[in-house]
């Protein structure tokens, strides 16, 4: 069996919080968007309806345990929980992970990724409305942030690379004093008896200089770049190429479908880019379709299948199998981002097929 570790990003959105009640109405969770999704064009696979785990509530330890048991059964090496720290100590959606940490259950490996970006109204097609602003108050806030994370870093379940806790930063280029942030976190790791930190940047290009910026590795964003995607629909392609917003506006108004529809098969990455001296962890997606959140403003990868996902995962495996054993890591986006159409959790259409692909690739 391979030594490769697959780490699946994990969204803690599936429980009510006061902020979502205020913005979207009482009881809103990510399931609200998932359940109301409708097909926007012929052959569009929507809605995605969960199978084995149902429309769970992440406040329930039974739900979190069932997720971990399913992930472990199919060889997932751990969850990477999205972690929200907006500055000045402001957190959101922290309850599920806090309860995992405090209870010791489930006994399943994990790490954290700082989702450092402002929240907007994009889920309801209004991306210009800022709901929660990400700010960077400076070193005192970085110290508070680190101290909040320290109990997790010291947990035996926390994923470590050469003994160093693995921590991801979603938008490092948005941190105005990035080197100060890195310096502060690394110094505090030393002072608190850690062997260091294994810092991984996302949303950067493969030639971004990790060493110069104080990071150990990168995993480029799962891009929705037109440069390597072909449209799945010739009419859509025509309107997408027409650069005037007027045409796009009328298209959405009268045809009621996104202007960004692509084939999943055209988005499969080879992961053979030249990363120079950077350590490059690939991120693989089972699919992408955020139309449940954004409607006609969404981005759709059409016609994903388990076989095509396997091709993408094999490409990622080829990238990392020559690495040192500690660095043989593949990220999967995601375990449960249902309203973005990328989830390994079983749905009614495919069941366990995507999970089985992970197991087969790792067992090969």
């Amino acid at each position: 069996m391979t030594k490769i570790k697959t780490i699946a990003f994990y969204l803690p959105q599936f429980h009510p919080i006061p902020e979502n009640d205020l913005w979207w109405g009482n009881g809103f969770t990510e399931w609200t968007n998932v359940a109301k999704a409708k097909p926007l064009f012929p052959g569009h696979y929507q809605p995605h309806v969960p199978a084995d785990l149902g429309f769970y509530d992440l406040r329930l330890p039974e739900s979190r345990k069932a997720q971990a048991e399913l992930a472990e059964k199919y060889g997932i090496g751990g969850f990477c929980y999205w972690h929200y720290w907006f500055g000045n100590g402001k957190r959101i959606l922290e309850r599920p992970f806090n309860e995992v940490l405090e209870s010791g259950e489930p006994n399943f490996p994990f790490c954290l990724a700082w989702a450092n970006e402002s929240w907007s109204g994009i889920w309801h097609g209004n991306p210009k409305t800022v709901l929660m602003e990400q700010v960077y108050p400076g070193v005192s806030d970085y110290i508070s942030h680190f101290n909040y994370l320290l109990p997790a870093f010291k947990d035996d379940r926390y994923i470590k690379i050469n003994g160093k806790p693995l921590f991801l930063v979603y938008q490092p280029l948005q941190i105005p004093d990035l080197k100060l942030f890195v310096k502060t976190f690394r110094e505090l790791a030393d002072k608190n008896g850690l062997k260091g930190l294994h810092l991984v940047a996302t949303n950067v290009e493969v030639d971004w200089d990790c060493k110069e910026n104080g990071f150990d590795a990168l995993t480029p964003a799962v891009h929705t770049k037109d440069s390597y995607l072909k449209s799945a629909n010739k009419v859509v392609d025509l309107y997408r190429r027409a650069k005037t917003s007027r045409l796009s506006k009328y298209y959405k108004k009268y045809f009621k479908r996104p202007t960004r529809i692509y084939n999943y098969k055209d988005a499969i990455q080879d992961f053979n880019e030249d990363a120079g001296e950077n350590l490059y962890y690939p991120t693989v997606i089972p699919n992408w379709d955020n139309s449940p959140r954004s409607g006609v403003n969404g981005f759709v990868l059409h016609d994903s299948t388990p076989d095509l996902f396997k091709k993408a995962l094999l490409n990622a495996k080829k990238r990392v199998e020559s690495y040192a054993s500690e660095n043989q890591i593949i990220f999967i986006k995601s375990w449960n981002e249902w309203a973005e159409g990328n989830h390994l959790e079983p749905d009614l259409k495919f069941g366990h097929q995507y999970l089985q692909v992970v197991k087969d690739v790792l067992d090969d």
Side-chain angles (χ1 to χ4, degrees):
M1 181 180 293
T2 181
K3 296 180 180 179
I4 294 172
K5 182 188 294 291
T6 53
I7 301 175
F9 288 101
Y10 181 107
L11 183 69
Q13 174 64 262
F14 300 94
H15 64 101
I17 58 173
E19 292 85 353
N20 277 337
D21 286 348
L22 176 65
W23 296 328
W24 312 119
N26 290 340
F28 176 91
T29 73
E30 190 79 305
W31 292 128
T32 308
N33 288 327
V34 173
K36 71 180 183 181
K38 297 178 180 179
L40 299 178
F41 55 89
H44 185 203
Y45 171 38
Q46 285 295 348
H48 292 209
V49 179
D52 302 41
L53 302 177
F55 291 94
Y56 51 74
D57 185 329
L58 288 181
R59 295 173 297 185
L60 299 176
E62 295 88 349
S63 294
R64 303 191 299 259
K65 181 180 179 183
Q67 289 176 311
E69 289 176 346
L70 187 61
E72 186 173 29
K73 177 181 177 181
Y74 285 95
I76 301 299
F79 290 148
C80 183
Y81 293 89
W82 287 114
H83 150 73
Y84 304 89
W85 179 282
F86 288 95
N88 295 315
K90 177 60 181 177
R91 300 181 295 277
I92 204 168
L93 297 174
E94 72 276 14
R95 176 174 172 176
F97 177 73
N98 282 352
E99 293 186 358
V100 167
L101 185 63
E102 293 166 4
S103 69
E105 295 292 337
N107 185 19
F108 187 67
F110 60 77
C111 63
L112 292 169
W114 180 21
N116 63 313
E117 75 175 352
S118 297
W119 280 23
S120 73
I122 194 169
W123 290 351
H124 282 215
N126 189 13
K128 294 183 179 180
T129 301
V130 177
L131 304 173
M132 187 81 70
E133 185 181 6
Q134 178 70 56
V135 297
Y136 304 94
V139 67
S140 62
D141 192 63
Y142 295 149
I143 293 172
S144 298
H145 189 181
F146 181 90
N147 289 334
Y148 173 75
L149 295 169
L150 185 58
F153 289 159
K154 288 188 171 182
D155 194 284
D156 289 339
R157 293 166 293 171
Y158 201 96
I159 298 169
K160 299 177 176 70
I161 309 302
N162 294 312
K164 302 174 182 180
L166 170 63
F167 186 67
L168 287 79
V169 179
Y170 181 62
Q171 294 277 14
L173 301 183
Q174 290 190 9
I175 302 177
D177 49 2
L178 179 61
K179 291 187 178 181
L180 176 63
F181 160 74
V182 171
K183 179 176 181 287
T184 303
F185 262 49
R186 290 199 181 280
E187 287 179 350
L188 289 170
D190 292 339
K191 289 180 180 179
N192 285 277
L194 301 178
K195 293 184 179 180
L197 294 173
H198 191 77
L199 295 179
V200 179
T202 82
N203 277 293
V204 294
E205 300 296 334
V206 295
D207 59 356
W208 186 74
D209 194 328
C210 289
K211 185 177 180 180
E212 169 65 22
N213 289 283
F215 281 72
D216 299 287
L218 51 76
T219 179
V222 181
H223 292 299
T224 49
K225 285 185 174 179
D226 291 358
S227 59
Y228 70 82
L229 296 173
K230 302 174 183 177
S231 177
N233 182 294
K234 296 298 183 183
V235 177
V236 172
D237 190 50
L238 175 63
Y239 279 88
R240 179 172 60 85
R241 291 176 184 278
K243 298 300 183 181
T244 64
S245 59
R246 180 180 299 176
L247 281 177
S248 178
K249 175 182 176 182
Y250 283 118
Y251 178 84
K252 291 175 182 177
K253 180 177 180 180
Y254 293 109
F255 291 90
K256 305 294 185 184
R257 65 178 64 181
T259 56
R260 296 186 297 169
I261 306 170
Y262 303 89
N263 285 314
Y264 176 85
K265 66 180 178 64
D266 295 321
I268 293 174
Q269 293 174 265
D270 293 324
F271 301 112
N272 60 1
E273 303 100 314
D274 181 6
E277 296 183 359
N278 292 326
L279 179 59
Y280 171 18
Y281 298 135
T283 293
V284 184
I285 54 172
N287 194 19
W288 184 277
D289 179 357
N290 64 351
S291 62
R293 288 180 175 176
S294 301
V296 295
N297 296 309
F299 186 103
V300 179
L301 294 182
H302 179 52
D303 215 14
S304 168
T305 67
D307 284 342
L308 290 172
F309 172 59
K310 184 174 184 178
K311 180 180 179 181
L313 197 57
L314 285 170
N315 289 345
K317 179 182 178 182
K318 184 177 180 181
R319 175 86 202 192
V320 304
E321 60 189 358
S322 63
Y323 293 176
S325 59
E326 285 279 317
N327 300 122
Q328 291 186 6
I329 295 172
I330 297 172
F331 290 99
I332 300 178
K333 190 178 188 308
S334 299
W335 174 255
N336 64 339
E337 297 212 26
W338 286 83
E340 289 183 347
N342 62 94
H343 54 85
L344 288 175
E345 288 181 337
D347 61 13
L348 293 182
K349 181 175 181 178
F350 291 105
H352 290 215
Q353 292 181 55
Y354 283 87
L355 284 168
Q356 187 63 48
V357 165
V358 176
K359 190 174 191 306
D360 290 347
V361 169
L362 295 180
D363 286 347
D364 185 7

